[in-house]
DNA sequence: AAATAACCGACTGATTTAGTCAAGTAATTA
DNA sequence: TAATTACTTGACTAAATCAGTCGGTTATTT
């Protein structure tokens, strides 16, 4: 079992996409500033998400990423799998060859746990998450913060270049 | 979330104790040979298990470890916690400070997952595991293998030293 | 006293994570 | 068509963690 920042980032980024991508494609730079995830790292993750057919990319100015299907048709387990984090809790990949080719004493236990985790995560879709109240309120906060950041940046540029 | 060989070894070793420790203390050397876990590594793990009051030790010849309470009173989550593997799936340790002190978009999701995993694992006791049919059959196999190994070893010693 | 087995701490090689950097390629817009 | 914007790819790295080793100490029994 392995669940680290990578899987969490991927799910967070995908949820950001689901929340903001209603109109058009969203750039990774936007996601990066809203979710505080390094742009280069997002690029790595989205390469995998694209290979697993969870997102589609649009190049050029105004481009970015969009979900490749409806947000009610993408679940959390899909995303975690796509970035190579397994929800498998066994050591042997579920094959039952954990002790010299034979089954170890606790194989079934880890197998059951894996099933449990997978059931839970595959039962939650991005669509469901976007409907949650606390998700929406955090989303609003992040949008505000991003606006504030943009204004600051613009102000700085204004100062630097004067009003030429 | 982190669940690696360490946690799996700890649970396996504890289950071995529950299965074999009915009469007296069991040495780590025994567990090591039955479960194919390095003796030194077991020592590390049992130091932690002892600090968490899950096992008691008996020194000297014939010594070893025994469970510090009934096997129906020790659950799998207890053991995993003891060896420092967390069942927490959040990045912030459940504190909700995942994004610059504020809550990240997916905090609740990981929190729910943690709860789910912990519920599952803390609902399974060593006592329950010892009753399972497949556990008992694997246990028997391991006992046979250990016997075979001992005989081989004795035979080798016999050859080496002759029949002096 | 000798054998046994737990106890302790320092150390190590390998792997993985999270993240950076640089050099592309493709699509738009002016 | 030139400049811009944004995605794409791959190599690279510092830090952390894991799994495991090694040498030696302490306590207990025979």
């Amino acid at each position: 079992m392995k669940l680290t920042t990578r899987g969490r980032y991927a799910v967070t980024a995908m949820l950001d996409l689901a929340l903001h991508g209603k109109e058009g494609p969203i750039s990774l730079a936007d996601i990066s500033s809203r979710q505080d995830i390094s742009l280069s790292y997002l690029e790595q993750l989205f390469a995998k998400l694209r290979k697993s057919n969870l997102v589609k990319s649009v190049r050029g100015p105004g481009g970015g990423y969009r979900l490749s299907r409806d947000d009610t048709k993408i679940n959390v387990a899909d995303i975690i799998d796509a970035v190579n984090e397994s929800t498998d809790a066994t050591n042997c990949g579920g094959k039952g060859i954990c002790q010299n080719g034979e089954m170890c004493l606790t194989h079934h236990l880890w197998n059951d746990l894996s099933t449990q985790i997978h059931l839970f995560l595959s039962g939650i879709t991005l669509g469901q998450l976007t409907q949650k109240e606390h998700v929406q309120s955090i989303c609003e906060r992040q949008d505000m913060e991003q606006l504030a950041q943009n204004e600051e940046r613009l102000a700085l540029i204004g100062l630097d270049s004067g009003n030429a």
Side-chain angles (χ1 to χ4, degrees), chain A:
Chain A
M1 170 78 197
K2 190 174 36 173
L3 182 50
T4 65
T5 322
R6 182 147 91 233
R8 279 191 291 261
Y9 279 176
V11 175
T12 303
M14 288 290 281
L15 182 53
D16 185 282
L17 248 189
L19 287 162
H20 295 92
K22 303 289 180 191
E23 309 301 321
I26 302 294
S27 74
L28 292 188
D30 267 11
I31 300 181
S32 167
S33 86
R34 269 195 299 266
Q35 306 301 334
D36 287 323
I37 306 174
S38 127
L39 178 58
S40 310
Y41 202 43
L42 276 177
E43 285 170 353
Q44 264 186 52
L45 297 179
F46 273 76
K48 297 188 181 200
L49 294 171
R50 202 172 59 89
K51 271 172 201 149
S52 297
N53 245 21
L54 295 176
V55 295
K56 279 189 178 358
S57 64
V58 181
R59 294 184 152 202
Y65 285 93
R66 64 176 76 228
L67 297 181
S68 64
R69 53 182 187 269
D70 196 80
D71 62 7
T72 59
K73 297 269 191 297
I74 298 179
N75 67 54
V76 176
D78 289 336
I79 301 172
I80 292 180
D81 284 350
V83 295
N84 291 349
E85 302 227 299
S86 88
T87 52
D88 182 13
T90 65
N91 198 21
C92 55
K95 301 294 171 198
I97 49 165
C98 355
Q99 187 181 21
N100 293 328
E102 306 262 21
M103 196 168 289
C104 79
L105 207 50
T106 47
H107 177 82
H108 284 79
L109 173 63
W110 310 123
N111 223 29
D112 289 353
L113 175 60
S114 306
T115 307
Q116 201 70 204
I117 294 175
H118 202 267
L119 262 176
F120 178 75
L121 290 179
S122 63
I124 301 177
T125 68
L126 286 180
Q128 280 170 31
L129 289 175
T130 60
Q131 299 302 314
K132 301 227 178 205
E133 204 193 318
H134 59 257
V135 168
Q136 290 178 354
S137 80
I138 292 175
C139 177
E140 268 182 57
R141 191 199 79 217
Q142 291 178 339
D143 287 345
M144 304 280 285
E145 284 169 4
Q146 191 181 24
L147 270 178
Q149 275 175 32
N150 282 347
E151 273 169 30
E152 263 183 61
R153 217 187 48 218
L154 286 175
L156 275 177
I157 293 172
L159 285 175
D160 278 355
S161 58
N163 49 0

